[in-house]
Amino acid sequence: MLKYFAKRIVLGLVTIWFIASATFFGMHAVPGDPLAGDKAMTAQIRANLEAKYGLDQPLGTQYLIYLGNIAQGDFGISFTQENRRVNDIIREHFPISATLGILAIVFAGLGGVLWGALTALYRNRWPDVVIMFLVILGISVPSFVVAAISQWSLVGLNLATGTAVLPIGGWGTVWHMLVPALVLGLSTMAYLTRLMRSSMLEVVSTDYIRTAKAKGLPATQIFSRHQLRNAILPVVTVLGPAIAGITTGGFVVEIVFAIPGLGRYFVQAIQQLDYTVIMGTTVFYGAFLVFMVILVDLVYGFIDPRVRVEK
Amino acid sequence: MSTSHLTPADFQPLQGSVSGQQISRPSLSYWADAWRRLQDNPRAMASMGLIAFLLAFVSVGPYLWQVDPSVQDLDQIGIGPGADRSVTLAPPFQPWLPEQQSTILADNAMGLTLTMPATTQAVRLMWARADGERYRLYRNLFDPSDTGSFGLPLAELDRSYFEDRLDLQAGTYFYSLVMLDANGAETATAITQTVNVTRVISVAEAIERGLIKTEAEAQLGQELKLAWHPLGTDYLGRDMLARLMYGGQVSLFIGIFAPLAFVLLGVIYGSVAGFLGGATDQAMMRFADFVVALPFLLFMILFKVIFGIGPGESGIWPMLVAMIILLWPAPARLVRGQILQIREEGYVSASRLLGGTTSYVVGRHMLPNTLGVILVTMTFQVPSAIFTEAFLSFIGMGVAPPTPSWGAMCNEGIKSMLTRPHELMFPALLISITVLAFNLLGDGLRDALDARMRGTE
């Protein structure tokens, strides 16, 4: 078990190195120059700036310096925001994205398990039909449309009641987080509901459920002790990739609801060609996702002992 | 007793006229069987119909609805579907020489008066003014008593008249006149006038737009119909229907060709890895693992930046290339797994034993047996490719304006969502329908092609 995870972590580190290298060489292949900005500058100023950002070094040296800095957790200084360190940007804005993401995952996970169990319980009856219709809708409607429509309805709600029931954008209190997190988690919730439903239906026809029935256990106990607990396993497996989906989906929600998260910052940095911020954010997100997937696998090992035996 | 009716003939053995070996129905190939199962699935068939309709909408549609998607109709900017498009023929715009004496001011608090019927040419307001008084004039699309805001400040005035010619559209406007105190701050003295603006057009303009042919047939006050926009126009006055058709071409092109390309690449990569096996397979799959680990959307955006978009380019190709580079590992893994499994099957050994060459075995046995899985994967990749295009265009990283795409149109529409919801709703609806159709078709195909998966969803 321990050996397996040590191997996973080493592979994860190699993956991060791969991401960092791909980002570095990618960004250096971009036509244009981070200093070719709006201000005219003399050759001397330019040389000074290049020296400051290390752009006067050969590419190989720059790459080594970059890798060395990343190994120490230093992503450099922003090009467009003078003297603002990328680390500070991440430290300031990532917690917001993370809070939103965690809330969304909680919504998606709880909702997915609940609705999925419900649909399986009421298979082919109206709750199943209604929920599955909503699920298909949730999968088919792009997140930015959901975000826009929900914001629109919030405006309508606030206008109709005459007071600000819920804020339509911004960040600060729990009330600001509620709707964006719901919107962010919606497509994942739809996906998890589908997964939970099929996994529930699979579990229903297993031998141990039949045994439990034969023993005369009440239906509620069979449902909560045997069916639900076993059906949840596949849901946990996909939580890793789901976290990835939710972090990137966060961009849209952050833009629409004007939330000062890292995703919005990343899009902004791309539009301004802020090289260090782009590279720093990409590597940071990449590392985050890689370790999230490993973490989910680790958790899965605790939930499902069979996995531990196999590995 | 009826036994007496039996004759010896009844005890003759029957002739073997019915052959037990005969197959009563035609033998169905795997694909014919799958097709039959698919036809039994009403949802899948409906989604196929929808997809055919959408393809016709973007390919045949532009021939039926020959409106240039980039032409601006400046008379009808941001109108919704079914909006009134009547226009009155009026004399050309004449400069206004306000003469307060000849105008009888309305009997309200500030004497705010509309001096002549408001048209899209001009709204002319006049009011009673005492010496030294200053005013601020506002215009709003909504009633200030509802929204609590006077709206757009038009001017600060120390005179008693104002002519508004700023971007007037047919409809209702609320003009508010607020008196200012000596310091220029607003006082409580304010009045709102509701103005109904009618759309007018001069003879010369009507001829230019092709509404009438000659000046001779023009008659002032005559009612004409402006160009018809069945789904309205966007914020620049471009025809929504035409833009949806051309935008759909971009969205569906990326949505269909990107999966086609990267699934093909993945199939080649995966089948080579699976077939060669051993260390090569390990190395190839490790590389695929790295590519999978790249944060997809981040790198999608990065690639877009790296490939760059030159002036006048639409940005479709960089997006396509980026998708192919990033998305091939998933189908590659899938196909490799299938190939590894099939490699051990008896029929492959048999084929080899009978002298089948590698290319024959792969082409004749292995790939056809994975085709079902590949087809299902591809169908499910279409919605995600459409989503990716829409998402990138939405954050402004996708196709470059003025090229329309459904995602880019949503991006533009969301800005005026509150006043003109149709600009967001139509492209959003089309994206949703397309994604829905491909998802349902994918479900149907999976059920039809893969017997093991049937009924689990």
Side-chain angles (χ1 to χ4, degrees):
Chain A
M1 185 70 179
L2 208 63
K3 202 179 148 206
Y4 168 71
F5 275 102
K7 202 178 141 198
R8 283 291 304 268
I9 286 169
V10 169
L11 262 178
L13 287 175
V14 176
T15 313
I16 294 166
W17 165 77
F18 182 78
I19 293 172
S21 307
T23 324
F24 179 83
F25 289 108
M27 287 315 292
H28 280 264
V30 173
D33 174 339
L35 296 179
D38 28 32
K39 282 181 235 154
M41 55 178 79
T42 62
Q44 182 57 47
I45 293 174
R46 197 181 169 82
N48 285 344
L49 277 175
E50 282 188 350
K52 178 184 174 187
Y53 290 109
L55 295 173
D56 52 349
Q57 309 281 338
L59 194 62
T61 319
Q62 281 189 43
Y63 175 60
L64 289 180
I65 293 173
Y66 166 75
L67 280 189
N69 284 343
I70 284 188
Q72 295 167 27
D74 178 10
F75 292 116
I77 307 165
S78 162
F79 273 104
T80 51
Q81 304 190 16
E82 273 167 47
N83 286 329
R84 194 156 180 224
R85 300 172 55 76
V86 179
N87 292 33
D88 291 338
I89 293 178
I90 292 175
R91 198 174 302 131
E92 216 167 288
H93 299 280
F94 180 68
I96 296 175
S97 295
T99 313
L100 191 65
I102 289 169
L103 211 55
I105 286 276
V106 169
F107 273 137
L110 289 182
V113 168
L114 181 71
W115 299 127
L118 216 60
T119 49
L121 211 60
Y122 290 95
R123 192 183 184 185
N124 293 336
R125 278 187 279 165
W126 69 265
D128 181 25
V129 175
V130 170
I131 292 172
M132 286 321 278
F133 175 76
L134 289 177
V135 160
I136 288 185
L137 215 63
I139 290 173
S140 301
V141 180
S143 60
F144 53 84
V145 176
V146 179
I149 292 175
S150 56
Q151 199 181 31
W152 190 35
S153 357
L154 271 184
V155 171
L157 181 76
N158 286 350
L159 272 183
T161 53
T163 52
V165 181
L166 283 171
I168 56 168
W171 192 250
T173 62
V174 177
W175 303 112
H176 286 95
M177 305 174 188
L178 217 56
V179 176
L182 256 179
V183 170
L184 185 54
L186 201 67
S187 65
T188 311
M189 192 195 290
Y191 178 65
L192 291 182
T193 305
R194 249 169 99 123
L195 195 73
M196 185 70 193
R197 180 176 184 267
S198 60
S199 133
M200 279 288 276
L201 291 178
E202 220 162 279
V203 169
V204 170
S205 52
T206 50
D207 290 340
Y208 54 82
I209 295 288
R210 196 187 310 153
T211 311
K213 270 186 197 157
K215 283 198 302 186
L217 279 183
T220 49
Q221 233 177 63
I222 296 177
F223 181 75
S224 59
R225 288 228 185 127
H226 297 279
Q227 223 171 319
L228 206 59
R229 281 170 77 169
N230 280 294
I232 270 179
L233 292 176
V235 175
V236 178
T237 337
V238 298
L239 270 184
I243 290 172
I246 279 188
T247 34
T248 42
F251 292 7
V252 165
V253 174
E254 283 173 19
I255 291 171
V256 172
F257 287 97
I259 294 166
L262 195 56
R264 201 170 68 137
Y265 230 91
F266 178 73
V267 174
Q268 216 175 59
I270 292 249
Q271 280 157 354
Q272 297 170 342
L273 268 189
D274 194 340
Y275 285 50
T276 39
V277 176
I278 297 175
M279 292 198 287
T281 325
T282 310
V283 173
F284 178 76
Y285 262 131
F288 177 70
L289 294 186
V290 166
F291 282 106
M292 266 318 187
V293 173
I294 295 178
L295 192 72
V296 168
D297 281 359
L298 192 69
V299 171
Y300 194 65
F302 283 110
I303 297 177
D304 189 357
R306 283 173 302 182
V307 179
R308 265 178 296 184
V309 177
E310 274 167 34
K311 298 270 157 70
Chain B
M1 283 283 167
S2 57
T3 46
S4 60
H5 296 295
L6 288 173
T7 60
D10 288 330
F11 295 94
Q12 291 296 316
L14 278 170
Q15 294 300 311
S17 61
V18 178
S19 165
Q21 292 299 308
Q22 195 182 330
I23 295 164
S24 59
R25 288 190 221 164
S27 158
L28 286 176
S29 74
Y30 172 63
W31 293 104
D33 191 36
W35 173 237
R36 187 184 56 76
R37 279 200 294 262
L38 195 65
Q39 277 176 320
D40 286 344
N41 185 339
R43 284 204 299 185
M45 290 317 280
S47 62
M48 271 174 91
L50 256 180
I51 291 168
F53 168 75
L54 285 165
L55 287 175
F57 177 74
V58 302
S59 57
V60 185
Y63 293 100
L64 300 177
W65 180 249
Q66 291 181 330
V67 171
D68 189 333
S70 58
V71 163
Q72 291 178 260
D73 187 344
L74 295 176
D75 298 321
Q76 304 183 78
I77 287 179
I79 57 154
D84 175 33
R85 56 196 175 92
S86 60
V87 61
T88 316
L89 213 54
F93 175 75
Q94 298 286 336
W96 186 36
L97 304 166
E99 297 158 23
Q100 194 157 6
Q101 283 76 17
S102 65
T103 312
I104 299 155
L105 293 177
D107 185 22
N108 58 36
M110 295 168 82
L112 186 63
T113 315
L114 189 66
T115 59
M116 56 175 271
T119 66
T120 47
Q121 281 176 347
V123 172
R124 289 166 178 172
L125 294 166
M126 226 179 220
W127 55 89
R129 172 176 180 263
D131 271 343
E133 280 178 356
R134 288 173 59 80
Y135 309 91
R136 191 175 286 151
L137 187 67
Y138 287 93
R139 188 178 87 184
N140 200 348
L141 285 169
F142 304 101
D143 192 343
S145 57
D146 286 351
T147 55
S149 158
F150 288 131
L152 173 75
L154 289 174
E156 267 186 50
L157 305 154
D158 50 4
R159 51 172 205 236
S160 65
Y161 58 90
F162 184 76
E163 180 183 42
D164 180 21
R165 300 196 62 198
L166 181 71
D167 190 27
L168 286 166
Q169 303 288 326
T172 306
Y173 288 96
F174 297 88
Y175 284 88
S176 305
L177 188 68
V178 184
M179 197 183 288
L180 302 179
D181 64 15
N183 302 322
E186 290 180 6
T187 63
T189 315
I191 189 158
T192 298
Q193 166 93 32
T194 311
V195 174
N196 286 310
V197 175
T198 52
R199 194 190 280 125
V200 293
I201 195 169
S202 71
V203 176
E205 286 170 333
I207 292 175
E208 190 192 312
R209 303 220 193 337
L211 300 179
I212 50 174
K213 288 190 184 66
T214 58
E215 213 166 309
E217 64 179 87
Q219 209 175 4
L220 288 187
Q222 181 188 355
E223 196 142 284
L224 297 171
K225 290 275 181 202
L226 285 172
W228 183 43
H229 301 288
L231 296 183
T233 58
D234 70 356
Y235 72 115
L236 290 176
R238 296 174 293 194
D239 184 68
M240 282 294 282
L241 182 57
R243 275 179 74 73
L244 284 173
M245 284 168 174
Y246 283 92
Q249 286 178 357
V250 173
S251 293
L252 286 182
F253 175 78
I254 290 179
I256 291 171
F257 279 92
L260 213 61
F262 71 72
V263 169
L264 195 69
L265 183 66
V267 167
I268 295 169
Y269 191 93
S271 51
V272 167
F275 194 80
L276 293 178
T280 327
D281 174 44
Q282 283 299 317
M284 283 175 91
M285 280 303 125
R286 205 33 29 90
F287 180 65
D289 284 346
F290 286 141
V291 179
V292 167
L294 295 179
F296 167 65
L297 278 167
L298 296 182
F299 269 79
M300 198 64 212
I301 296 168
L302 273 189
F303 274 123
K304 287 273 301 171
V305 177
I306 292 164
F307 295 137
I309 303 175
E313 285 174 26
S314 60
I316 297 172
W317 292 104
M319 207 187 308
L320 204 63
V321 173
M323 275 187 170
I324 295 169
I325 292 179
L326 287 173
L327 289 175
W328 59 267
R333 273 174 162 178
L334 194 76
V335 170
R336 170 184 169 269
Q338 291 279 317
I339 293 276
L340 280 180
Q341 209 175 2
I342 293 170
R343 208 166 59 154
E344 309 300 327
E345 296 277 348
Y347 55 81
V348 171
S349 313
S351 180
R352 283 188 170 279
L353 201 65
L354 290 168
T357 58
T358 302
S359 58
Y360 177 83
V361 172
V362 170
R364 187 78 187 89
H365 293 293
M366 291 187 165
L367 283 182
N369 273 301
T370 52
L371 209 56
V373 180
I374 295 170
L375 204 63
V376 172
T377 315
M378 212 174 329
T379 319
F380 278 124
Q381 290 299 333
V382 171
S384 69
I386 289 176
F387 265 174
T388 307
E389 185 277 326
F391 169 81
L392 287 176
S393 297
F394 179 77
I395 62 169
M397 287 285 127
V399 297
T403 311
S405 88
W406 290 341
M409 290 175 76
C410 285
N411 182 21
E412 289 161 1
I414 206 165
K415 289 166 192 152
S416 55
M417 178 178 69
L418 291 179
T419 47
R420 303 192 294 264
H422 71 278
E423 283 176 38
L424 172 67
M425 285 310 143
F426 286 127
L429 202 65
L430 278 171
I431 295 177
S432 307
I433 290 176
T434 314
V435 169
L436 180 69
F438 276 101
N439 271 329
L440 289 181
L441 181 66
D443 281 347
L445 274 180
R446 189 188 53 195
D447 289 352
L449 290 173
D450 192 346
R452 279 164 303 171
M453 297 294 286
R454 209 169 305 149
T456 52
E457 190 267 318

